């Protein structure tokens, strides 16, 4: 994000760039791609660069069952972590060979509309197949001609504030929007749990109720993005820097939970599906926790 943003600002220094900038800024007002299915560019997703990044951690896929490329799924990704590296590597790039592991499955990783307001960065996200997480965008994608699934990082900004190493606190119980979207479109729900996502950075202590946390929550409420205060490692040292730690991220795909299409589902039905979803999420966590989270300090905690 900072690199693309600085590049954009730097272009103002060079008069030869001005015509391009003028056209580009006009284009920003005109372009509706983020809410209309995105604009993935396959060669950008397939760049070798992403394979190197994915193998640094490494990010790996753990598959519980085959998924049908002609079905439109709603994937819930947990936890958000500081910046969801695992989600970006698996769903935004071919760094982990996603299209070979789940043959023919097409999808869009969804993120906040705000991210598409940042010049150049937005175009990179679009090229990686990201789209807006608004309701309109979800519905649009799930009804495109080519069967296409969506991936929602359910916990979002609130969960990022609890992304502390060796713990997994999820913001989930009150988040029923993604379940409703699935039911309204008759799409099966697939819980995805990424072990290690919370271990990639150190976040400064911000316990619930502290002044830092209250500020972060107010900021989050009005700006929509959360400001976790974090650090990782440097290139030549392991103690401090902006690089993520070199820790494995194992992304486990649970079994799909079928939903019955209903445009106005009852509260009971939504809760019933949510129960099944949480049960499956808990099952994959328990099944793999001793392999991929052997050094955890607390168990999975599912919060509101
Ligand atoms: C992806 O596929 C290539 C070629 O088949 C293979 O060499 C590589 O190890 C795979 N990467 C991962 C992360 O599985
Ligand atoms: C996770 O939730 C528990 C229970 O609410 C809380 O005590 C703990 O501090 C939380 N952990 C983090 C890292 O926020």
């Amino acid at each position: 994000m900072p690199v693309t943003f600085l590049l954009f600002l730097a272009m103002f220094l060079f008069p030869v760039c001005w015509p391009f900038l003028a056209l580009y800024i006009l284009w920003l007002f005109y372009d509706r791609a983020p809410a209309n299915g995105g604009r993935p560019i396959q060669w950008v997703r397939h760049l070798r660069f992403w394979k190197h990044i994915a193998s640094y951690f490494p990010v790996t896929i753990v598959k519980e069952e085959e998924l049908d490329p002609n079905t439109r799924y709603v994937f819930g990704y947990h936890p958000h972590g500081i910046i969801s590296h695992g989600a970006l590597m698996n769903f935004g790039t071919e760094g982990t060979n996603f299209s070979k592991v789940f043959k023919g499955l097409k999808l869009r990783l969804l993120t906040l509309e705000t991210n598409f307001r940042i010049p150049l960065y937005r175009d990179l996200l679009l090229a990686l197949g990201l789209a807006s997480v608004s309701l309109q965008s979800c519905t649009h994608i799930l009804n495109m001609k080519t069967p296409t699934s969506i991936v929602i990082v359910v916990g979002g900004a609130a969960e990022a504030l609890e992304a502390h190493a060796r713990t997994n606190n999820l913001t989930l119980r009150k988040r029923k929007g993604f379940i409703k979207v699935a039911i309204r479109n008759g799409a099966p729900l697939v819980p995805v749990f990424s072990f290690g996502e919370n271990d990639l950075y150190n976040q400064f202590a911000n316990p619930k109720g502290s002044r830092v946390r209250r500020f972060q929550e107010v900021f989050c409420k009005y700006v929509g993005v959360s400001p976790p205060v974090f650090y990782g490692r440097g290139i030549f040292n392991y103690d401090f820097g902006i690089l993520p730690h070199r820790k494995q991220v194992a992304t486990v795909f649970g079994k799909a939970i079928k939903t019955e299409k209903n445009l106005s589902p009852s509260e009971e039905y939504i809760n019933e599906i949510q129960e099944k979803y949480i049960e499956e999420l808990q099952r994959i966590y328990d099944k793999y926790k001793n392999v991929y989270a052997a050094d955890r300090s607390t168990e999975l905690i599912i919060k509101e």
Side-chain angles (χ1 to χ4, degrees):
M1 191 192 288
V3 172
T4 47
F5 188 63
L6 288 178
L7 186 68
F8 179 70
L9 292 185
M11 281 162 57
F12 283 92
L13 299 176
F14 302 99
V16 286
C17 298
W18 292 353
F20 169 79
L21 284 170
L23 286 174
Y24 182 75
I25 290 165
L26 277 178
W27 162 247
L28 286 186
F29 286 101
Y30 168 82
D31 184 27
R32 294 281 170 270
N36 279 305
R39 190 188 298 119
I41 301 173
Q42 289 312 323
W43 70 263
V44 180
R45 291 172 46 89
H46 280 79
L47 286 175
R48 272 218 85 71
F49 178 64
W50 307 120
K51 299 222 183 255
H52 292 304
I53 296 183
S55 63
Y56 164 81
F57 298 102
V59 184
T60 49
I61 296 177
V62 181
K63 180 164 87 170
E64 285 274 297
E65 66 174 10
E66 290 297 337
L67 297 174
D68 170 20
N70 293 314
T71 301
R72 301 149 197 265
Y73 297 94
V74 174
F75 293 90
Y77 183 89
H78 318 268
H80 180 285
I82 300 286
I83 31 190
S84 305
H85 281 300
L88 193 67
M89 282 300 116
N90 282 310
F91 303 113
T93 78
E94 275 297 316
T96 55
N97 292 342
F98 186 88
S99 73
K100 287 184 196 152
V101 180
F102 294 106
K103 273 198 192 60
L105 197 80
K106 301 221 163 31
L107 52 78
R108 298 287 188 275
L109 173 59
L110 306 184
T111 185
L112 289 179
E113 186 80 41
T114 351
N115 286 308
F116 297 103
R117 302 215 181 106
I118 307 169
L120 299 185
Y121 181 62
R122 71 187 293 282
D123 297 283
L124 174 62
L125 295 184
L126 285 167
L128 294 177
L130 275 78
S132 160
V133 73
S134 67
L135 179 60
Q136 182 212 341
S137 167
C138 293
T139 312
H140 179 92
I141 296 166
L142 289 172
N143 290 285
M144 291 197 304
K145 226 195 239 136
T146 320
T148 307
S149 301
I150 57 176
V151 185
I152 299 179
V153 185
V154 179
E159 201 167 83
L161 294 179
E162 296 212 354
H164 288 267
R166 297 186 297 123
T167 72
N168 282 294
N169 281 14
L170 304 187
T171 305
L172 181 56
R173 279 193 205 281
K174 274 196 179 162
R175 306 240 157 155
K176 297 187 180 173
F178 76 109
I179 294 176
K180 283 185 216 161
V181 164
I183 298 172
R184 285 204 187 110
N185 291 282
L189 277 156
V190 181
V192 179
F193 190 86
S194 251
F195 289 94
E197 184 74 71
N198 279 352
D199 301 337
L200 302 181
Y201 296 96
N202 305 83
Q203 180 169 182
F204 285 103
N206 60 340
K208 195 97 190 145
S210 64
R211 215 180 316 164
V212 181
R213 183 61 167 270
R214 283 205 304 270
F215 169 78
Q216 288 174 322
E217 281 165 353
V218 170
F219 187 90
C220 187
K221 190 167 158 204
Y222 291 105
V223 187
V225 293
S226 68
V229 187
F230 64 94
Y231 62 94
R233 55 169 281 186
I235 296 177
F236 301 112
N237 77 79
Y238 298 115
D239 307 321
F240 195 85
I242 59 161
L243 288 179
H245 293 295
R246 190 169 199 174
K247 294 260 172 74
Q248 182 177 21
V249 176
T251 307
V252 183
F253 289 75
K255 294 194 173 125
I257 293 145
K258 288 210 177 65
T259 64
E260 215 155 291
K261 183 167 175 158
N262 186 340
L263 289 179
S264 47
S266 67
E267 204 58 38
E268 290 83 66
Y269 187 61
I270 295 170
N271 292 342
E272 181 192 322
I273 295 293
Q274 185 190 38
E275 260 335 289
K276 287 188 188 164
Y277 181 90
I278 290 178
E279 221 170 84
E280 176 62 5
L281 186 64
Q282 184 75 51
R283 185 189 70 80
I284 53 177
Y285 175 82
D286 289 335
K287 181 168 175 188
Y288 295 100
K289 64 183 180 185
N290 291 333
V291 184
Y292 299 119
D295 65 345
R296 64 191 181 280
S297 63
T298 60
E299 293 295 341
L300 179 66
I301 298 176
I302 295 176
K303 304 176 127 179
E304 296 209 315

